Amino acid sequence: MISVALVYPELLGTYGDGGNALALQHRARLRGIDLLVTPVRHSEPLPDAQLFIIGGGEDGPQRLATDELRRAGLAERVADGAHVLAVCAGLQILGKSFAVAGDASYDGLGLVDAVTVRGSERRVGDIVTRVGNRMLVGFENHGGETRLGDVAPLGLVSKGFGNDGRTDGFVSGRIRATYLHGPVLAQNPWWCDEILVDLVGHELEPVVSVADALYTARCAALG
Ligand code: GLN
């Protein structure tokens, strides 16, 4: 049984990133693997999950979620070996600080050497991130721009903006982060499977689903 915690959907559910948990569950089941998704509301303790999924949200809920995750001890869970998938606001929360309305800066969790500042314009639209020789497709909608310090980006942006117009997201140990909504794991089955492999600890048999056909069509349209 794989355990996945969906972090604060009432605060960080604006962009539908909770679908990442459903995509993981679906592709696990296609292989006969049970995957339990536990939604966690803010003010509740974090469950003992293998993966924490943190989605996108608006500035106010993002600040509240940051304080709650600090208090609930996400950093300790990560230090103990938990994986994290973070999208947009989730990405910004993991860094050292992020900008909020009025150009004020808010302390993040500091798990990753990244700082998010207020961008010159809001970035809204299709985005393609190249990860090695593969593509991640999705959409973005954010006002923040992220400057990476001593951390590797997830990939290079070939369409859209991502962190800074050049790179998207970051990978640090068991933490993966991206600006892509979609939900990104529903739109990009290969990345969903990569995360599943990490969680189960062995290779998985390939599956062909409608999501794979849609992914191919999106790559052709956006690539
Ligand atoms: N509030 C953040 C921003 O605008 C994150 C937005 C989001 O999660 N899509 O940059």
Side-chain angles (χ1 to χ4, degrees), residues 10-32:
E10 76 283 15
L11 298 178
L12 301 173
T14 315
Y15 296 93
D17 299 311
N20 288 320
L22 299 179
L24 281 165
Q25 189 174 54
H26 178 68
R27 291 187 76 84
R29 281 189 183 149
L30 290 177
R31 275 77 171 223

Side-chain angles (χ1 to χ4, degrees), residues 15 56-59 62 87-89 92 118 122 141-144 181:
Y15 296 93
E58 300 312 307
D59 290 357
Q62 178 176 340
V87 177
C88 202
Q92 297 176 4
R118 183 70 31 199
R122 196 165 182 89
N141 184 345
H142 54 104
H181 301 293

Side-chain angles (χ1 to χ4, degrees), residues 71-84:
R71 188 192 48 73
L74 181 71
E76 288 75 12
R77 296 306 175 99
V78 172
D80 287 347
H83 294 74
V84 177

Side-chain angles (χ1 to χ4, degrees), residues 4-222:
V4 172
L6 181 60
V7 173
Y8 309 156
E10 76 283 15
L11 298 178
L12 301 173
T14 315
Y15 296 93
D17 299 311
N20 288 320
L22 299 179
L24 281 165
Q25 189 174 54
H26 178 68
R27 291 187 76 84
R29 281 189 183 149
L30 290 177
R31 275 77 171 223
I33 299 167
D34 278 342
L35 187 149
L36 178 71
V37 177
T38 306
V40 196
R41 296 179 65 83
H42 75 288
S43 80
E44 285 180 359
L46 294 177
D48 196 12
Q50 287 168 266
L51 171 70
F52 291 87
I53 294 184
I54 313 173
E58 300 312 307
D59 290 357
Q62 178 176 340
R63 274 176 283 180
L64 177 55
T66 307
D67 294 342
E68 292 284 321
L69 284 171
R70 185 178 293 111
R71 188 192 48 73
L74 181 71
E76 288 75 12
R77 296 306 175 99
V78 172
D80 287 347
H83 294 74
V84 177
L85 172 67
V87 177
C88 202
L91 173 157
Q92 297 176 4
I93 286 170
L94 299 180
K96 290 179 170 170
S97 65
F98 55 86
V100 289
D103 284 338
S105 174
Y106 205 78
D107 281 349
L109 298 180
L111 297 182
V112 173
D113 187 5
V115 168
T116 298
V117 298
R118 183 70 31 199
S120 55
E121 60 186 271
R122 196 165 182 89
R123 308 293 175 170
V124 183
D126 291 328
I127 174 170
V128 178
T129 298
R130 291 193 179 269
V131 182
N133 59 0
R134 309 196 76 157
M135 288 166 66
L136 286 177
V137 296
F139 73 92
E140 62 184 334
N141 184 345
H142 54 104
E145 296 187 12
T146 300
R147 314 264 184 263
L148 299 186
D150 187 18
V151 63
L154 169 65
L156 298 179
V157 167
S158 61
K159 182 182 181 67
F161 192 80
N163 295 331
D164 54 9
R166 206 179 58 82
T167 66
D168 173 53
F170 47 71
V171 180
S172 173
R174 297 182 195 84
I175 297 174
R176 292 174 171 91
T178 177
Y179 267 102
L180 273 66
H181 301 293
V184 64
L185 297 189
Q187 288 209 13
N188 299 274
W190 71 266
W191 209 41
C192 188
D193 284 355
E194 186 179 289
I195 293 171
L196 274 179
V197 165
D198 269 9
L199 296 175
V200 298
H202 58 76
E203 290 302 317
L204 295 169
E205 63 195 81
V207 290
V208 176
S209 71
V210 69
D212 298 84
L214 288 170
Y215 170 71
T216 305
R218 284 196 191 95
C219 286
L222 294 174

